[in-house]
Amino acid sequence: MIVILKKIPNEAQLASLMDWLAEKNIDVHKSIGTSTTILGLVGDTAAIDADLISALDIVEDVKRVQEPYKHANRKFHPDDTVINVRGAQIGGGTLTLMAGPCSVESEEQIVAIAKQVKASGATVLRGGAFKPRTSPYSFQGMGTRGLELLKIAREETGLPIVTEIMDAEQLPDFADVDIIQVGARNMQNFDLLKRLGRQEKPILLKRGMCATYEEWLMSAEYVMAGGNHNVMLCERGIRTFETYTRNTLDIGAVPVLRKLTHLPIIIDPSHAAGKAWLVPQTAPAAVAAGADGLIIEVHNDPAHAVCDGPQSIRPETFDALSKHLHALHDFMAENPVPTV
Amino acid sequence: MIVILKKIPNEAQLASLMDWLAEKNIDVHKSIGTSTTILGLVGDTAAIDADLISALDIVEDVKRVQEPYKHANRKFHPDDTVINVRGAQIGGGTLTLMAGPCSVESEEQIVAIAKQVKASGATVLRGGAFKPRTSPYSFQGMGTRGLELLKIAREETGLPIVTEIMDAEQLPDFADVDIIQVGARNMQNFDLLKRLGRQEKPILLKRGMCATYEEWLMSAEYVMAGGNHNVMLCERGIRTFETYTRNTLDIGAVPVLRKLTHLPIIIDPSHAAGKAWLVPQTAPAAVAAGADGLIIEVHNDPAHAVCDGPQSIRPETFDALSKHLHALHDFMAENPVPTV
Amino acid sequence: MIVILKKIPNEAQLASLMDWLAEKNIDVHKSIGTSTTILGLVGDTAAIDADLISALDIVEDVKRVQEPYKHANRKFHPDDTVINVRGAQIGGGTLTLMAGPCSVESEEQIVAIAKQVKASGATVLRGGAFKPRTSPYSFQGMGTRGLELLKIAREETGLPIVTEIMDAEQLPDFADVDIIQVGARNMQNFDLLKRLGRQEKPILLKRGMCATYEEWLMSAEYVMAGGNHNVMLCERGIRTFETYTRNTLDIGAVPVLRKLTHLPIIIDPSHAAGKAWLVPQTAPAAVAAGADGLIIEVHNDPAHAVCDGPQSIRPETFDALSKHLHALHDFMAENPVPTV
Amino acid sequence: MIVILKKIPNEAQLASLMDWLAEKNIDVHKSIGTSTTILGLVGDTAAIDADLISALDIVEDVKRVQEPYKHANRKFHPDDTVINVRGAQIGGGTLTLMAGPCSVESEEQIVAIAKQVKASGATVLRGGAFKPRTSPYSFQGMGTRGLELLKIAREETGLPIVTEIMDAEQLPDFADVDIIQVGARNMQNFDLLKRLGRQEKPILLKRGMCATYEEWLMSAEYVMAGGNHNVMLCERGIRTFETYTRNTLDIGAVPVLRKLTHLPIIIDPSHAAGKAWLVPQTAPAAVAAGADGLIIEVHNDPAHAVCDGPQSIRPETFDALSKHLHALHDFMAENPVPTV
């Protein structure tokens, strides 16, 4: 951490800052220029609150040099995290396809789709039981009954299930779920994150619509700080000024996160686009950028889906897309991109 | 709602859509042009899911004409909502100043600040007991002990208290709080909103960092749909590309919301700016734009505040600012701006 | 175009609007509901100024149904535009690699790099002679001397050259350039666009940092309306809240533009990322998304480049990347993605 | 400027950097920590290209401490710049109202509006002769004939005129204009800025739709570096995710610029809002935030304005608004806000 002091800092205040830093076992390297004095702070600065220091009268600015996350940081954990769920391996060079409907609607629907996507190469079944909807008047999901139906589909196909939690109170109902999804709107629901850190199920943590990489990794850190290191990061489009697509898929997130963290990176092309026809057009870019997997909405009757129909593709499209993505993944493994 | 059909829509699918709309008591006015057919839907279209219709193969696009919120809509409730809390009246032409520290730190601190801000004209005491912090390693607030200290400060001064809830599980602890704040990061924590709709305490609903006016009003609608109509909207800066300030204060939100809704509108200049020196510079703009009140961070020792010190002003600054804002509010009442 | 009228429109004003539309040969389909009257406008509505209509007292809102661009619109020109420049074919299923330094610095530098990138598979040489720099104190490019050096490099290698124009006054100097680039900052320099529409050189039109797809296509329309239909669109990253990368590469732009327009689509991964190590990581995503080409900064000594060094890759990296991208392009041609 | 080196920097490269900096008369203060070495650069670092340094292999990151603009910087020019135009004083505690139509349409129109806004307290007449329009099919302004009509209106009223230039070639026609406006889309048309720096007319420099404060001030610096120090900065709304208003008025820009620069600050509430009814609602906020003036669109027949009618207010509204704003400006002068 670098602290830039004001031109002529009050000596007493500066001495008080130096004492406070010494107490925290932070070494300070002072560099005095003609117009600025700079303090270089060395030590475990993740525990130092930059805001506190920048509030001091003598301080002009504070700049972090090190990332404020530890458990999620690749610098301290160079090896990729690999997550195993009922035989499905996520991360570590594999390509995971999570597929299924936006919402669970009936046993018939979820079992049929589960069988289809499994046959097409999906290794995880997705499906919403509790649905975050902008309007209180929209369908809010089947709730616990939806969870039951997902489990039936799992029994029928062997596919592990991933589904979204919306409140810590629902945790007991998620005891038998395989992967717990945290939605974009809850990415900074810190109480929920803390609770998920104190249990063992893997977490699929979606990026908030306007969350920076660092904020997103700090949210992963909340889960990991509690002891649960099985976190996957899911990019699902960010909010920008462009309104043609629902959100803007940030494809650069894949290599950037690959550098910053060891956690698996999943891309959700369905929610980013908000339009079914864009899903097969953008999914290959995710694989080419090096994503560990994709989560894709598949519905056998999109026009009658009870939510988010516009972005669901049909099972037959998913089948062709899955074949394409796996072939592309093989191609990329055989043709690695150069490093700089 | 307007539905724009594709050039040559499938007749059977169109008939099926017309039947479905008829079931929902929606009248349809059809307008056939040379290149497009347009359906004008008339009736209670708030209950119609636009996404569902746009998923149909025959549909090119769907455009809403009416706002999807009812309880929060000024069209159906022309009179301003006025909220009364322990004698303090919020909305309806008054100017409410909510003031206090970012975090409650000790009985001495909160009581001292409460007395000072009351003497300066504040009518509500703010103070955080549960703090949403980006980092799990930052101070997370005093928790329930902080709530106790706020109540002591209320007893000493008579000021009603507003403080942030972070999870529905905390609700029992908030039984004796006067106004429950929902933070920007929880604006779309729909389960929390539903729970707050089923209790009676007034809600201060902060705008999410990248929430549109409509999404924000839909979140208010979640609370109101449950029966709790005492909702205040708090603009606290939105996220943009500019990084000099923490967020960008959207001053236009005040007149826009005034037109769209009857709910009181509060401005938080402290979090928008993230810099104490900007608070007295931007607060008058909020009053000039017609806000019903402001919520301002005040700390008697900003440099040692345990959180968000950089944006807290000192009690003596608040005192001068409060006098200024009240005089400005009087000026605006006597000198109304012209309407178009 | 759809015009939504206010509840009880003034009859005289409505009649006057109807007459005005009739004069413009626009047919109007009126649909009267209980709370709204809707006018469906049919005809050549591209020439109707939506702003003018929405200014009328009787109008609540105006919504466009058709795109306001014609020449650039795929609906009216279903076949891909293919641009031929000195034997290089851009668009129509080929993969074009444009490569070269940010700035031309010397004859030795530009000729050496030109030879290297040609040997590696580039078919167009890029290089800046006039440089748009944020600061007046930064190197502004070699100017006309830079153009001369580019032509020498062209003679030596046969590669056509693309370089940026910054003002219409420079046009005479660009008479012998092969492709004229319009930078992001000039995307809405309408006078420049008009002038470029009245000459014949192909244009590489970069997207403005916060330009929507529609605004970008309207800028292409400015050039095309003047008679020059040889326009390529270049996505180079948009400005968002994320600051880790210089800009955010909008990969979805490729399939969206493919649907909306027949013009070739080029991706600039260098400026989007602002970091050399990200270039080989994101370039494959562009090919996988279906781009017609890429423009990549290559420098034989990035650390001493006089501008934008941080994002330039070395010739040997470009060589490996070029091989990868061509192999990937072949793979994609043999393995088409499914359509919905 | 602070340079953060990689963990174990190559000694030869480091020595080469040190030599290069010494040549540029930059003193370097080195601070060696356990995990990082930090160089503090002291001297005239505005001339050092941070990008160049960050491209070096041994460098982890570069952070600027000082602003890269000099002429526009309040640190070096503490006194407010005051611009005098035909008797109108802009800046230095006055309130300037610039008013007039979006476009000049006829002698009758511009003279009538000029007389009305003068009677209401405007001291500068605005009006567009060359219009930047998104579509090539929209009205592009009357051109030089429009400039002639503005001069007639000036003769009739004595009001100085401000109008937009779109290309350096138009400069001869602007020889008799009083203030030359640079539009948001041309804020980084550097060739135009350089040309405007070599002439003497005052410049009204609008902020680009997604320009940071620093980029905006660097554009002012381009003009000032050429010798023309008469630059006014005009905030006209920035592009955000919110689409209800055309742009988002950044009211915080006023106090921030007041701190960073000595140049006058003008607010354009008309273009920010894009809706006439919002203009009188947001204009007072600009005065309360301390703006030096406003530029407001006034039209005597908004419904028939040939461009931007939706945001023009009528002369009678402007009259009432002008009275309000002047009274508010007096109030603010008598009731200064506290400083922190």
Side-chain angles (χ1 to χ4, degrees):
Chain A
M1 195 180 288
I2 292 166
V3 178
I4 300 146
L5 299 179
K6 282 189 185 149
K7 230 168 178 174
I8 305 158
N10 178 294
E11 284 302 322
Q13 287 183 27
L14 181 53
S16 146
L17 171 61
M18 300 296 263
D19 288 351
W20 184 75
L21 290 168
E23 268 173 47
K24 307 249 173 187
N25 290 317
I26 302 292
D27 281 344
V28 178
H29 295 260
K30 206 167 160 180
S31 145
I32 300 171
T34 49
S35 64
T36 332
T37 297
I38 292 164
L39 307 181
L41 273 49
V42 179
D44 183 13
T45 56
I48 300 289
D49 198 329
D51 283 350
L52 268 186
I53 296 178
S54 69
L56 297 170
D57 281 343
I58 54 170
V59 173
E60 175 87 27
D61 204 359
V62 175
K63 294 175 192 290
R64 278 200 173 277
V65 177
Q66 280 177 309
E67 300 85 6
Y69 43 91
K70 299 177 199 177
H71 294 296
N73 200 330
R74 188 178 280 274
K75 282 188 189 154
F76 310 130
H77 307 78
D79 293 338
D80 282 358
T81 284
V82 177
I83 297 174
N84 285 286
V85 190
R86 288 183 186 261
Q89 177 189 325
I90 303 169
T94 58
L95 179 70
T96 298
L97 296 187
M98 306 180 176
C102 174
S103 287
V104 180
E105 294 168 24
S106 69
E107 181 177 331
E108 197 188 3
Q109 173 238 25
I110 190 68
V111 171
I113 296 177
K115 286 180 176 170
Q116 288 172 304
V117 299
K118 186 184 181 182
S120 299
T123 50
V124 178
L125 175 66
R126 62 147 291 154
F130 299 94
K131 299 299 305 173
R133 304 299 307 274
T134 306
S135 167
Y137 310 121
S138 295
F139 174 63
Q140 309 276 315
M142 292 184 82
T144 49
R145 175 71 187 139
L147 295 180
E148 292 314 312
L149 299 183
L150 279 169
K151 289 173 203 167
I152 292 172
R154 178 175 63 194
E155 259 173 61
E156 297 272 338
T157 59
L159 289 179
I161 54 180
V162 57
T163 191
E164 180 168 352
I165 195 169
M166 286 180 58
D167 191 276
E169 281 195 348
Q170 297 162 347
L171 257 178
D173 292 327
F174 280 67
D176 196 24
V177 158
D178 300 299
I179 302 172
I180 302 177
Q181 176 176 320
V182 176
R185 292 173 183 80
N186 272 324
M187 192 203 83
Q188 292 194 317
N189 182 338
F190 299 120
D191 277 59
L192 177 60
L193 297 175
K194 284 179 195 171
R195 289 284 293 275
L196 294 173
R198 294 196 298 266
Q199 57 85 54
E200 295 194 332
K201 301 279 174 201
I203 304 301
L204 181 77
L205 179 64
K206 290 204 155 187
R207 181 183 190 178
M209 267 191 290
C210 61
T212 63
Y213 301 139
E214 187 170 299
E215 288 168 341
W216 190 10
L217 288 168
M218 290 309 288
S219 285
E221 191 81 7
Y222 258 98
V223 177
M224 297 173 90
N228 181 358
H229 287 212
N230 288 322
V231 179
M232 291 158 261
L233 300 167
C234 178
E235 157 70 27
R236 41 78 71 215
I238 56 173
R239 183 159 274 184
T240 68
F241 59 83
E242 178 61 67
T243 56
Y244 184 91
T245 46
R246 181 155 56 184
N247 290 115
T248 297
L249 181 64
D250 177 11
I251 200 72
V254 181
V256 169
L257 291 174
R258 183 72 72 218
K259 183 186 174 83
L260 298 179
T261 186
H262 49 90
L263 300 173
I265 304 152
I266 309 293
I267 294 287
D268 176 348
S270 308
H271 283 86
K275 296 176 196 284
W277 65 268
L278 269 169
V279 173
Q281 303 285 330
T282 50
V287 175
D292 293 298
L294 291 99
I295 181 164
I296 295 176
E297 281 195 13
V298 178
H299 199 285
N300 45 15
D301 187 8
H304 292 100
V306 293
C307 85
D308 275 350
Q311 76 211 20
S312 292
I313 59 173
R314 292 171 202 276
E316 52 272 29
T317 308
F318 178 73
D319 188 62
L321 180 60
S322 173
K323 283 184 179 62
H324 176 90
L325 298 177
H326 278 103
L328 177 57
H329 186 252
D330 290 347
F331 170 88
M332 294 298 294
E334 287 155 24
N335 297 272
V337 293
T339 53
V340 171
Chain B
M1 195 180 290
I2 291 167
V3 178
I4 300 147
L5 298 179
K6 284 188 184 148
K7 232 168 176 174
I8 303 158
N10 177 295
E11 283 302 324
Q13 287 183 26
L14 181 54
S16 145
L17 171 62
M18 300 295 264
D19 289 350
W20 184 75
L21 290 168
E23 267 173 47
K24 308 250 174 188
N25 290 316
I26 302 292
D27 281 344
V28 179
H29 295 260
K30 205 166 160 182
S31 146
I32 301 171
T34 48
S35 63
T36 333
T37 297
I38 292 164
L39 307 181
L41 273 48
V42 179
D44 183 13
T45 56
I48 299 290
D49 199 330
D51 282 351
L52 270 186
I53 295 178
S54 69
L56 296 170
D57 281 343
I58 53 170
V59 172
E60 174 87 28
D61 204 358
V62 175
K63 294 179 192 287
R64 277 201 174 277
V65 176
Q66 279 177 311
E67 300 85 5
Y69 44 90
K70 301 177 198 174
H71 294 297
N73 199 331
R74 188 179 280 276
K75 281 189 190 154
F76 309 129
H77 306 79
D79 293 338
D80 282 357
T81 284
V82 177
I83 297 174
N84 285 287
V85 190
R86 287 183 187 262
Q89 179 190 324
I90 303 169
T94 57
L95 179 70
T96 297
L97 296 187
M98 306 180 177
C102 174
S103 288
V104 180
E105 295 167 24
S106 69
E107 181 176 333
E108 199 188 1
Q109 173 237 27
I110 190 68
V111 171
I113 296 177
K115 285 180 176 170
Q116 287 172 305
V117 300
K118 185 183 182 184
S120 298
T123 51
V124 177
L125 175 66
R126 62 147 290 152
F130 299 94
K131 298 298 305 173
R133 305 300 304 275
T134 306
S135 168
Y137 310 121
S138 295
F139 175 63
Q140 308 276 316
M142 294 183 80
T144 50
R145 174 71 187 138
L147 294 180
E148 291 314 311
L149 299 183
L150 278 169
K151 290 175 202 166
I152 292 172
R154 178 175 63 193
E155 257 173 61
E156 297 272 337
T157 59
L159 288 179
I161 53 178
V162 57
T163 192
E164 181 168 351
I165 194 168
M166 285 180 58
D167 191 276
E169 281 195 348
Q170 298 162 347
L171 256 178
D173 292 327
F174 280 67
D176 196 25
V177 157
D178 302 299
I179 302 173
I180 302 176
Q181 177 178 319
V182 176
R185 292 172 183 79
N186 273 323
M187 193 203 84
Q188 292 193 317
N189 181 337
F190 299 120
D191 277 59
L192 177 59
L193 298 176
K194 284 179 194 172
R195 290 285 292 273
L196 294 173
R198 294 196 297 265
Q199 57 85 57
E200 294 194 332
K201 300 279 174 201
I203 303 302
L204 182 76
L205 179 64
K206 289 204 157 187
R207 181 183 188 177
M209 268 192 288
C210 61
T212 63
Y213 300 139
E214 188 171 298
E215 288 169 341
W216 189 9
L217 288 168
M218 290 309 287
S219 285
E221 191 81 7
Y222 258 96
V223 177
M224 298 172 89
N228 181 359
H229 287 212
N230 288 322
V231 178
M232 291 158 263
L233 299 168
C234 178
E235 157 71 27
R236 42 78 71 215
I238 56 172
R239 184 158 273 184
T240 69
F241 58 83
E242 178 61 68
T243 55
Y244 184 91
T245 46
R246 181 155 55 185
N247 291 114
T248 297
L249 181 64
D250 177 11
I251 200 71
V254 181
V256 169
L257 291 175
R258 184 71 72 219
K259 183 187 175 82
L260 298 179
T261 186
H262 49 90
L263 300 173
I265 305 152
I266 309 294
I267 294 286
D268 176 348
S270 308
H271 283 86
K275 296 176 196 285
W277 65 268
L278 270 170
V279 173
Q281 303 286 330
T282 50
V287 175
D292 294 297
L294 291 99
I295 181 164
I296 295 176
E297 282 195 13
V298 177
H299 199 284
N300 44 16
D301 187 9
H304 292 99
V306 292
C307 86
D308 275 351
Q311 76 212 17
S312 291
I313 59 173
R314 293 172 202 276
E316 52 272 29
T317 308
F318 178 72
D319 188 62
L321 180 59
S322 171
K323 283 183 178 63
H324 176 90
L325 297 177
H326 278 103
L328 176 56
H329 186 252
D330 291 346
F331 170 88
M332 294 298 293
E334 286 155 24
N335 297 273
V337 294
T339 52
V340 171
Chain C
M1 196 180 289
I2 292 167
V3 178
I4 300 145
L5 300 178
K6 283 189 184 147
K7 230 169 178 172
I8 304 159
N10 177 295
E11 284 303 324
Q13 288 183 27
L14 182 52
S16 146
L17 172 62
M18 301 296 262
D19 288 349
W20 186 77
L21 290 168
E23 267 173 49
K24 308 250 173 188
N25 290 317
I26 302 293
D27 281 345
V28 179
H29 294 260
K30 205 165 160 184
S31 145
I32 301 172
T34 49
S35 63
T36 333
T37 297
I38 292 165
L39 307 181
L41 274 47
V42 179
D44 183 13
T45 56
I48 300 289
D49 198 331
D51 283 350
L52 269 186
I53 296 179
S54 70
L56 296 170
D57 281 344
I58 53 171
V59 172
E60 175 86 27
D61 204 359
V62 175
K63 294 177 193 288
R64 278 201 173 278
V65 177
Q66 280 176 309
E67 299 85 5
Y69 44 90
K70 300 177 199 175
H71 295 296
N73 200 331
R74 189 178 280 276
K75 281 188 189 153
F76 309 130
H77 307 78
D79 292 338
D80 282 357
T81 284
V82 177
I83 296 174
N84 285 287
V85 190
R86 288 182 185 262
Q89 178 189 325
I90 304 169
T94 57
L95 179 69
T96 298
L97 296 187
M98 305 180 179
C102 174
S103 288
V104 180
E105 295 167 24
S106 69
E107 181 178 331
E108 197 189 2
Q109 173 237 26
I110 190 68
V111 171
I113 297 177
K115 286 179 176 171
Q116 287 172 306
V117 300
K118 186 183 182 185
S120 298
T123 50
V124 179
L125 174 66
R126 61 147 291 153
F130 299 94
K131 298 299 304 174
R133 304 301 305 274
T134 306
S135 167
Y137 310 122
S138 296
F139 175 62
Q140 308 276 316
M142 292 183 82
T144 49
R145 174 72 187 138
L147 294 180
E148 291 315 310
L149 299 182
L150 279 168
K151 289 174 204 167
I152 292 172
R154 178 176 62 194
E155 257 172 62
E156 297 271 337
T157 59
L159 288 178
I161 54 179
V162 56
T163 191
E164 181 168 351
I165 195 168
M166 285 180 58
D167 191 275
E169 281 195 348
Q170 298 162 346
L171 257 178
D173 292 327
F174 280 67
D176 196 26
V177 158
D178 302 298
I179 302 173
I180 302 177
Q181 176 178 319
V182 176
R185 292 173 183 81
N186 272 323
M187 192 201 84
Q188 292 192 319
N189 182 338
F190 300 121
D191 277 60
L192 178 59
L193 298 175
K194 284 179 196 172
R195 290 284 293 273
L196 294 173
R198 294 196 297 265
Q199 56 84 57
E200 295 195 332
K201 301 276 174 202
I203 304 302
L204 181 77
L205 180 64
K206 291 202 155 188
R207 182 183 188 178
M209 268 193 288
C210 60
T212 62
Y213 301 138
E214 188 172 299
E215 289 168 340
W216 190 10
L217 288 167
M218 290 310 287
S219 285
E221 191 80 8
Y222 258 97
V223 177
M224 298 173 88
N228 181 358
H229 286 213
N230 288 322
V231 179
M232 292 158 261
L233 300 167
C234 178
E235 157 69 27
R236 42 78 71 216
I238 56 172
R239 183 158 274 183
T240 69
F241 58 82
E242 178 62 66
T243 56
Y244 184 90
T245 45
R246 181 155 55 185
N247 289 115
T248 297
L249 180 64
D250 177 11
I251 200 71
V254 182
V256 169
L257 290 175
R258 183 72 70 219
K259 184 188 175 82
L260 298 179
T261 186
H262 49 90
L263 300 173
I265 305 153
I266 309 294
I267 294 287
D268 176 348
S270 308
H271 284 87
K275 296 176 196 285
W277 65 267
L278 269 169
V279 173
Q281 303 286 329
T282 49
V287 175
D292 294 297
L294 291 98
I295 182 164
I296 295 177
E297 282 194 14
V298 177
H299 200 284
N300 45 15
D301 187 8
H304 292 100
V306 293
C307 87
D308 274 351
Q311 76 213 15
S312 291
I313 59 174
R314 292 172 202 275
E316 52 272 29
T317 309
F318 177 72
D319 188 63
L321 181 59
S322 172
K323 283 183 179 61
H324 177 90
L325 297 177
H326 278 104
L328 177 56
H329 186 251
D330 291 346
F331 171 89
M332 294 297 294
E334 286 154 24
N335 297 271
V337 294
T339 52
V340 171
Chain D
M1 196 180 287
I2 292 166
V3 178
I4 299 145
L5 299 179
K6 282 189 184 149
K7 231 169 176 172
I8 304 159
N10 178 294
E11 283 302 322
Q13 287 183 27
L14 182 53
S16 146
L17 172 62
M18 300 297 262
D19 288 350
W20 184 77
L21 290 168
E23 268 172 47
K24 308 249 174 189
N25 291 317
I26 302 293
D27 282 345
V28 178
H29 295 260
K30 205 166 159 181
S31 145
I32 300 171
T34 49
S35 63
T36 332
T37 297
I38 292 164
L39 307 181
L41 273 49
V42 178
D44 183 13
T45 56
I48 300 290
D49 198 330
D51 282 350
L52 270 186
I53 296 178
S54 69
L56 297 170
D57 281 344
I58 54 171
V59 172
E60 174 88 28
D61 204 358
V62 175
K63 294 178 192 287
R64 278 201 173 277
V65 177
Q66 279 177 310
E67 299 85 5
Y69 44 91
K70 300 176 199 176
H71 294 296
N73 199 329
R74 188 179 281 276
K75 281 187 189 157
F76 309 130
H77 306 79
D79 292 338
D80 282 358
T81 284
V82 177
I83 296 174
N84 285 287
V85 190
R86 288 183 185 260
Q89 178 189 326
I90 303 169
T94 58
L95 179 69
T96 297
L97 296 187
M98 305 179 178
C102 174
S103 288
V104 180
E105 294 167 24
S106 69
E107 181 177 332
E108 197 188 4
Q109 173 237 25
I110 190 68
V111 171
I113 296 177
K115 286 180 177 172
Q116 286 172 305
V117 300
K118 185 183 181 183
S120 298
T123 51
V124 178
L125 175 65
R126 62 147 290 154
F130 299 94
K131 299 299 304 173
R133 304 299 306 274
T134 306
S135 168
Y137 310 121
S138 295
F139 175 62
Q140 309 275 316
M142 293 184 81
T144 49
R145 174 73 187 138
L147 295 180
E148 293 314 311
L149 299 184
L150 279 169
K151 290 174 203 168
I152 293 172
R154 178 175 64 192
E155 257 172 62
E156 297 272 337
T157 59
L159 288 179
I161 54 180
V162 56
T163 191
E164 181 168 352
I165 195 168
M166 286 180 60
D167 191 276
E169 281 196 348
Q170 297 162 347
L171 256 178
D173 292 327
F174 280 67
D176 196 25
V177 158
D178 301 299
I179 302 172
I180 302 177
Q181 177 177 319
V182 176
R185 292 172 183 81
N186 272 323
M187 192 203 83
Q188 291 193 318
N189 181 339
F190 299 121
D191 276 61
L192 178 59
L193 298 175
K194 285 179 194 173
R195 290 285 293 274
L196 295 173
R198 294 196 297 265
Q199 57 85 54
E200 295 194 331
K201 301 279 174 200
I203 304 301
L204 182 76
L205 179 64
K206 291 203 155 186
R207 182 184 191 178
M209 267 192 291
C210 61
T212 62
Y213 301 138
E214 188 172 299
E215 289 168 340
W216 190 10
L217 288 167
M218 289 309 287
S219 285
E221 191 81 6
Y222 259 97
V223 177
M224 299 172 88
N228 182 358
H229 287 212
N230 288 322
V231 179
M232 292 158 260
L233 300 167
C234 178
E235 157 71 27
R236 41 77 72 216
I238 56 172
R239 184 158 274 184
T240 69
F241 58 82
E242 179 61 67
T243 56
Y244 184 90
T245 45
R246 180 156 56 184
N247 290 115
T248 297
L249 181 64
D250 177 10
I251 200 72
V254 182
V256 169
L257 291 175
R258 184 70 72 217
K259 183 187 176 83
L260 299 180
T261 186
H262 50 90
L263 300 173
I265 304 152
I266 309 294
I267 294 287
D268 176 348
S270 307
H271 284 86
K275 296 176 195 285
W277 65 267
L278 270 169
V279 173
Q281 303 286 329
T282 50
V287 175
D292 294 298
L294 291 99
I295 182 164
I296 295 176
E297 281 194 13
V298 178
H299 200 284
N300 45 16
D301 187 8
H304 292 101
V306 292
C307 84
D308 275 350
Q311 75 211 18
S312 291
I313 60 174
R314 292 170 202 276
E316 51 272 29
T317 309
F318 177 72
D319 188 63
L321 180 60
S322 172
K323 283 184 179 62
H324 176 90
L325 297 176
H326 278 103
L328 176 56
H329 186 251
D330 291 346
F331 171 89
M332 294 298 293
E334 286 155 25
N335 298 271
V337 293
T339 53
V340 171

